[in-house]
Amino acid sequence: MNIPWKIKSTIFKLIDFFNAPSALYFLQKYVTGRSKIGSLQISPIWKAHKSYLNQYGATENIFEFGAGKSLAQNLFISDIATNQTIVDLNPMIDFRLVEHVRSQISELVVLKSQSKISSLDELSLYGIEYRAPYDASKTDFTDKSLSACISTNTLEHIPKDSIIAIFSELFRTLKDDGIVSAKIDYSDHYAHTDKSISLLNYLKFDEKTWKKYNHYCHYQNRLRHYDYVEIFNRCGFVVIEEDLSFSEENIPAEIAELFKDKD
């Protein structure tokens, strides 16, 4: 469904005003279709996370922030992960979705259990602990106790200061040979449901103007790849592998001009 981005922004503004996050889930499920139950498609991102966990021997004590509703990614890697602690800033888990994807993933990989999942206790049978609300910048993990952190399409929704706080905490809690495997979507998420605008549309606005369209329930930080690399380095990390892809073939002239001196 194509939704003009300014109309969608107005909807998000109302959700913020009435503090009604459940309305956002309703919108995603019944209007935009972004939370529908359908046939499961294994994401290349899940495969990439699993590959890195195996490659670097980081299959114990895995942490994820921004787990989402279905936990499909976590169930997919649960066959190699000893245990996972996954968290959300707000409770997002939908056990109907979790069970739906579990039944499909169980046909593709050998899971730790064949039990249906309708509760947190049953989820634990798969080596997964879900916590929410939970602040990833203030964890209760001991120093150097985690082997890995995975993150998929979450960082772009977090303010820069909070990202720095989270990665400072990760640096404390990850083992010296621990890894972070992160997928970041650098596109304007309004373009996902409004095909009339560029995937880089949000870059043409100055900060003051963008604040009118950027809302808590659908926050986009607009950071670029070089911004994240700077943050990671600042927090003590070393980038050991990058896999960049470009979805916007025709960059609007005004945006190209604004970023002509950037990488």
Side-chain angles (χ1 to χ4, degrees), residues 38-44 46-47 72 101 104 108:
S39 59
L40 181 73
Q41 294 184 341
I42 301 301
S43 167
W46 306 350
K47 292 181 178 179
V101 300
Q104 296 189 57
L108 304 173

Side-chain angles (χ1 to χ4, degrees), residues 12-243:
F12 289 140
K13 183 177 182 179
L14 290 172
I15 290 173
D16 276 2
F17 181 80
F18 290 106
N19 191 24
S22 59
L24 177 60
Y25 179 55
F26 180 89
L27 177 70
Q28 292 173 331
K29 187 174 182 179
Y30 296 107
V31 180
T32 68
R34 299 182 72 81
S35 289
K36 282 184 177 178
I37 289 181
S39 59
L40 181 73
Q41 294 184 341
I42 301 301
S43 167
I45 305 305
W46 306 350
K47 292 181 178 179
H49 285 319
K50 180 179 282 191
S51 175
Y52 291 135
L53 294 173
N54 274 324
Q55 179 181 346
Y56 292 99
T59 56
E60 295 183 357
N61 299 330
I62 298 168
F63 178 61
E64 180 182 5
F65 56 94
K69 302 179 182 72
S70 73
L71 312 190
Q73 172 177 273
N74 307 98
L75 287 166
F76 179 72
I77 69 172
S78 67
D79 64 323
I80 66 161
T82 303
N83 60 289
Q84 302 177 66
T85 302
I86 58 179
V87 305
D88 275 315
L89 193 59
N90 298 295
M92 297 285 290
I93 191 169
D94 182 331
F95 283 107
R96 190 168 63 100
L97 286 173
V98 173
E99 173 53 26
H100 177 74
V101 300
R102 182 212 62 81
S103 64
Q104 296 189 57
I105 289 175
S106 66
E107 298 177 1
L108 304 173
V109 298
V110 179
L111 298 176
K112 289 181 170 67
S113 172
Q114 293 300 312
S115 298
K116 292 185 177 181
I117 302 174
S118 60
S119 68
L120 294 178
D121 285 341
E122 289 164 339
L123 185 63
S124 68
L125 298 175
Y126 295 82
I128 300 173
E129 179 184 2
Y130 178 84
R131 304 180 189 178
Y134 194 94
D135 185 347
S137 69
K138 300 174 183 177
T139 74
D140 54 359
F141 301 120
T142 57
D143 292 357
K144 303 184 186 304
S145 59
L146 302 175
S147 64
C149 172
I150 57 176
S151 172
T152 302
N153 296 343
T154 297
L155 284 170
E156 65 267 24
H157 298 294
I158 303 176
K160 182 177 179 179
D161 288 348
S162 296
I163 294 174
I164 293 172
I166 289 171
F167 273 78
S168 296
E169 179 70 353
L170 283 175
F171 191 79
R172 178 186 72 81
T173 55
L174 279 167
K175 298 177 181 178
D176 290 336
D177 59 352
I179 64 166
V180 177
S181 178
K183 160 67 165 61
I184 310 169
D185 185 345
Y186 297 130
S187 68
D188 182 342
H189 286 32
Y190 283 124
H192 297 179
T193 49
D194 185 348
K195 303 307 178 184
S196 70
I197 62 173
S198 163
L199 289 169
L200 301 175
N201 180 68
Y202 63 176
L203 294 182
K204 69 183 183 182
F205 299 102
D206 59 41
E207 195 62 33
K208 182 178 179 181
T209 304
W210 175 242
K211 282 183 178 179
K212 296 191 300 183
Y213 304 114
N214 202 20
H215 310 292
Y216 175 77
C217 69
H218 190 255
Y219 182 82
Q220 301 181 74
N221 61 37
R222 302 195 297 173
L223 296 175
R224 301 293 89 197
H225 184 71
Y226 49 79
D227 294 316
Y228 283 99
V229 172
E230 180 184 352
I231 290 171
F232 301 153
N233 290 337
R234 173 178 171 179
C235 293
F237 287 90
V238 176
V239 178
I240 54 178
E241 188 168 338
E242 299 169 280
D243 183 8

